[in-house]
């Protein structure tokens, strides 16, 4: 069993920088926390570079390099106010531009919890890619990784501006409350398709609406104005999952 040594002050200071987007982007490293998430990443084949634990319990199945931390050390290097007793250092999720049959385009999604939940739904229901406007939040945000349960590492994703999106030779379908086709009546086509969602604050841009091949909406009852973005995405993804071609 490898010896577990106490983490140094210099290492803590180095890792604490990764709480900020600037340094995650520069070093391409991120600290995530929680045994369940780290175990899920391990099942995906995503191995940590280092482990940090408040106990002497060894986890050689997860990583050979492990350091002992005090709870206050983990609080300095983790983004949450009450971090779990196990954290790990990982490379940040890498972008990918592989061909797809079904993809989402998310315009200006700013909430990392929403984005992470969307990645989890995409992974669960077989959507091939997530395309993000360039003003959307960072995929390496620890809240995104945590809410996605690691799916951000296994899903193809990339940032695109409107021109790059519209340049794709595929059908573009917008989800809009004023859409023409109710989701239960919508059937995907055999050709590649991109499903476009706007932000909760601003909706879908007029440019994207004007260039869409079809518009659909999720029917609702009662007086609720709208659904949360992640909920809307999950409903669409499940619908497409049931209509697989």
């Amino acid at each position: 069993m490898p010896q577990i040594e106490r983490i140094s002050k210099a290492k803590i200071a180095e890792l604490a920088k990764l709480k900020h987007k600037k340094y995650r982007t520069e070093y391409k490293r991120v600290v995530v926390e929680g045994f369940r998430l780290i175990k899920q990443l391990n099942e995906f084949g995503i191995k940590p570079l280092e482990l940090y634990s408040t106990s002497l319990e060894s986890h050689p199945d997860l990583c050979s390099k492990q350091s002992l931390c005090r709870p206050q050390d983990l609080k300095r290097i983790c983004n949450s106010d009450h971090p779990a007793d196990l954290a790990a250092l990982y490379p940040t999720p890498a972008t990918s531009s592989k061909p797809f049959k079904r993809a989402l385009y998310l315009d200006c999604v700013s909430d990392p919890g929403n984005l992470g939940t969307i990645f989890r739904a995409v992974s669960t229901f077989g959507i091939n890619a997530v395309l993000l406007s360039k003003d959307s939040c960072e995929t390496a945000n620890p809240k995104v990784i945590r809410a996605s349960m690691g799916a951000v590492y296994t899903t193809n994703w990339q940032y695109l501006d409107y021109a790059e999106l519209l340049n794709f030779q595929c059908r573009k379908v917008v989800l809009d409350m004023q859409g023409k086709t109710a989701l239960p009546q919508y059937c995907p086509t055999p050709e590649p398709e991109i499903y476009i969602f706007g932000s909760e604050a601003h909706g879908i841009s007029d440019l994207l609406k004007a260039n869409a091949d079809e518009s659909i909406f999720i029917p609702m009852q009662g007086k609720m104005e709208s659904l949360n973005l992640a909920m809307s995405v999950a409903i669409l993804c499940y619908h497409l999952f049931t209509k697989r071609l």
Side-chain angles (χ1 to χ4, degrees):
M1 180 182 299
Q3 183 179 1
I4 301 176
E5 298 183 354
R6 184 171 293 279
I7 193 169
S8 69
K9 290 182 180 180
K11 187 66 176 181
I12 293 170
E14 177 186 328
L15 294 171
K17 290 183 176 181
L18 299 178
K19 295 172 76 171
H20 305 284
K21 177 181 177 181
K22 171 185 175 181
Y23 293 106
R24 291 193 294 267
T25 302
E26 180 179 347
Y27 300 132
K28 293 183 169 51
R29 296 288 184 269
V30 62
V31 174
V32 303
E33 60 172 286
F35 177 76
R36 183 165 165 257
L37 173 55
I38 293 169
K39 183 180 179 182
Q40 179 66 72
L41 285 167
N42 188 61
E43 291 175 1
F44 286 150
I46 312 298
K47 301 291 185 180
L49 304 171
E50 299 174 4
L51 283 178
Y52 315 110
S53 175
T54 58
S55 78
L56 288 170
E57 181 183 358
S58 180
H59 300 278
D61 55 322
L62 298 176
C63 185
S64 60
K65 188 173 182 180
Q66 183 172 335
S67 298
L68 181 65
C69 298
R70 300 171 300 171
Q72 55 265 43
D73 297 332
L74 285 182
K75 192 168 184 178
R76 281 196 63 193
I77 68 176
C78 296
N79 278 66
S80 62
D81 293 331
H82 304 284
D85 57 5
L86 185 68
L89 179 68
Y90 286 90
T92 51
T95 185
S96 172
S97 56
K98 295 179 181 178
F100 58 81
K101 185 174 182 181
R102 302 280 178 264
L104 304 182
Y105 183 79
L106 307 176
D107 187 15
C108 193
V109 55
S110 58
D111 183 87
N114 263 348
L115 183 56
T117 302
I118 288 168
F119 270 105
R120 192 169 181 176
V122 161
S123 176
T124 300
F125 297 120
I127 302 297
N128 308 123
V130 174
L131 312 174
L132 299 154
S133 65
K134 293 187 177 181
D135 53 357
S136 290
C137 69
E138 171 207 15
T139 57
N141 186 305
K143 292 180 180 178
V144 174
I145 298 172
R146 184 163 60 247
S148 78
M149 277 303 290
V152 65
Y153 280 94
T154 62
T155 304
N156 298 322
W157 62 268
Q158 59 179 306
Y159 290 99
L160 301 172
D161 60 27
Y162 288 172
E164 291 168 320
L165 169 68
L166 296 176
N167 195 44
F168 274 103
Q169 300 301 307
C170 60
R171 293 187 77 249
K172 298 169 185 71
V173 181
V174 296
L175 273 85
D176 184 35
M177 291 179 65
Q178 282 74 49
K180 295 180 180 179
T181 304
L183 181 60
Q185 280 72 57
Y186 175 75
C187 290
T189 68
E191 63 184 287
E193 295 180 323
I194 298 175
Y195 297 88
I196 302 171
F197 289 82
S199 69
E200 292 179 35
H202 305 292
I204 298 173
S205 78
D206 291 338
L207 176 64
L208 296 183
K209 287 181 183 180
N211 284 275
D213 298 289
E214 190 164 356
S215 63
I216 58 181
F217 69 93
I218 298 173
M220 301 186 297
Q221 66 176 14
K223 298 181 179 180
M224 188 61 64
E225 180 186 5
S226 63
L227 291 172
N228 168 279
L229 174 62
M231 290 176 63
S232 298
V233 170
I235 290 169
L236 171 79
C237 290
Y238 178 72
H239 177 79
L240 298 177
F241 178 72
T242 64
K243 300 285 185 180
R244 303 194 295 276
L245 296 178

